[in-house]
Amino acid sequence: MKSLLSLEKLAAPEFTRILQDAVRFKRERGQHATQPLAGQTWALIFSKSSTRTRVSFEVGIRELGGQVMFLNANDIQLGRGEPIKDTARVLGRMIHGAVIRTYAQSDVEEFAEYSRVPTINALTDDEHPCQVLTDIFTFEETNGPIAGKVVTFIGDGACNMPVSWIFAAAKLGFELRIAAPKEFQPAPEILARAGGNIHCTTDLDAAAAGADLLYTDVWVSMGKEAEAADRLALLKGYQINARLVTLARPGALVMHCLPAYRGKEIDAETFEAHANTIFTQAENRLHVQKAILNWSVS
Ligand code: CP
Ligand code: NVA
């Protein structure tokens, strides 16, 4: 029984196992030899909106033999203030695993501790581990091992997506560059904890030069809506567009975790030019999360 709460806590051999298993889960979709979640009921407990994460986990749990229930956090007593540790102790006596999307990282950690069932972080303010595992899988599917390659993240360098990239970099041995305004640079203590070959800059052209992968995410993450006007002003220009792509290695991949806001973090032309990669990323959530679910119950 294992939980995926953070990429910081995921050891390098476990990255490798999940990424390797995902190849098999993708190849064998519709004809899985084993049903590792047979007889199990999993809960999805979401406090924030979701399209990809919700659908890919619901489909994935069912295709691995499990039952799934979706709980909007506002529809259960959690939304009226029942402590997460009490919710966890109740659900832990009934369900076999939980997938949680919420604000505080401490909430998924507390749920795992008190429920004693496998708990998967489906996005917190701090991390989005399932997405970055999927992005690495998607890169390696077409480009081979990510070790030794250059990944450039452009945009809000302090939100959940770059933080999960930061914790993956040292473990998988790729160079990570983060181009962000000074107000949205990653926290120094996170960089210190992660180690690895990571360069943070305000200069997006320098960060993009020769990159193997250009990556971006929304400028206004869920929960930051009140800061939207300031963010749009400060992040203006930190965009993946046709000009920036010319600075990267020829044939470099462009990725976006979605949802995308054209004209902000990416321009419409570049988004459509790289739509095949971007929607393969979205599809791969299903395959990689099956590997995560299988790992969590083994
Ligand atoms: N990328 C991602 O997690 O998408 P959703 O917010 O739609 O789940
Ligand atoms: N940083 C974004 C990721 C969305 C998948 C957010 O938290 O809203």
Side-chain angles (χ1 to χ4, degrees):
M1 197 278 283
K2 302 180 204 72
S3 290
L4 177 63
L5 304 177
S6 150
L7 290 189
E8 181 175 17
K9 309 257 169 66
L10 191 69
E14 296 180 300
F15 270 88
T16 307
R17 175 183 163 183
I18 290 168
L19 293 168
Q20 283 175 352
D21 284 354
V23 175
R24 178 170 54 83
F25 280 111
K26 183 166 185 174
R27 190 177 59 233
E28 295 176 357
R29 185 175 184 207
Q31 46 183 359
H32 297 311
T34 57
Q35 297 272 283
L37 303 188
Q40 299 197 1
T41 299
W42 281 61
L44 266 57
I45 309 165
F46 280 38
S47 305
K48 293 175 174 172
S49 303
S50 173
T51 299
R52 283 144 286 271
T53 308
R54 176 177 175 175
V55 174
S56 54
F57 268 111
E58 290 206 25
V59 171
I61 289 166
R62 290 193 182 102
E63 290 188 1
L64 294 183
Q67 304 279 336
V68 60
M69 73 175 83
F70 182 81
L71 300 172
N72 181 326
N74 286 326
D75 292 342
I76 58 176
Q77 299 289 8
L78 185 65
R80 297 179 65 244
E82 185 168 22
I84 190 86
K85 63 184 177 185
D86 292 357
T87 307
R89 282 180 283 191
V90 172
L91 294 188
R93 288 166 182 247
M94 301 179 189
I95 63 171
H96 301 90
V99 177
I100 301 180
R101 169 167 286 201
T102 190
Y103 296 87
Q105 177 69 21
S106 57
D107 280 355
V108 291
E109 290 171 4
E110 214 169 301
F111 190 95
E113 181 186 345
Y114 282 90
S115 69
R116 301 190 186 169
V117 295
T119 302
I120 297 173
N121 176 354
L123 182 149
T124 62
D125 290 345
D126 289 13
E127 277 218 47
H128 197 358
C130 298
Q131 181 70 56
V132 169
L133 279 165
T134 302
D135 301 333
I136 292 166
F137 174 84
T138 306
F139 180 90
E140 294 193 334
E141 235 184 349
T142 49
N143 286 32
I146 200 166
K149 297 292 199 308
V150 176
V151 176
T152 296
F153 181 94
I154 291 151
D156 175 4
C159 78
N160 41 22
M161 286 303 311
V163 170
S164 287
W165 274 107
I166 286 168
F167 288 125
K171 288 172 185 159
L172 296 184
F174 57 87
E175 178 183 338
L176 178 65
R177 302 176 188 163
I178 296 178
K182 64 180 186 336
E183 294 82 358
F184 297 107
Q185 291 281 329
E189 62 271 22
I190 287 174
L191 295 167
R193 286 202 327 251
N197 187 7
I198 301 176
H199 305 277
C200 300
T201 177
T202 55
D203 182 345
L204 74 166
D205 285 12
D212 297 286
L213 167 60
L214 298 178
Y215 197 103
T216 194
D217 179 18
V218 295
W219 288 346
V220 183
S221 285
M222 291 180 280
K224 303 289 185 193
E225 291 80 4
E227 302 172 8
D230 287 348
R231 285 174 166 266
L232 297 191
L234 291 165
L235 283 149
K236 195 169 163 52
Y238 284 85
Q239 182 190 71
I240 299 184
N241 51 37
R243 185 195 68 79
L244 201 75
V245 172
T246 64
L247 304 177
R249 183 183 58 72
L253 295 183
V254 171
M255 290 192 188
H256 193 309
C257 56
L258 299 174
Y261 292 83
R262 276 92 160 163
K264 298 205 167 53
E265 73 277 1
I266 191 164
D267 71 349
E269 176 193 352
T270 307
F271 183 90
E272 292 305 333
H274 294 270
N276 186 45
T277 303
I278 291 167
F279 291 105
T280 300
Q281 269 178 279
E283 177 198 325
N284 284 341
R285 296 291 301 278
L286 172 65
H287 312 301
V288 173
Q289 287 162 193
K290 280 183 180 170
I292 294 168
L293 289 161
N294 181 53
W295 163 85
S296 77
V297 296
S298 60

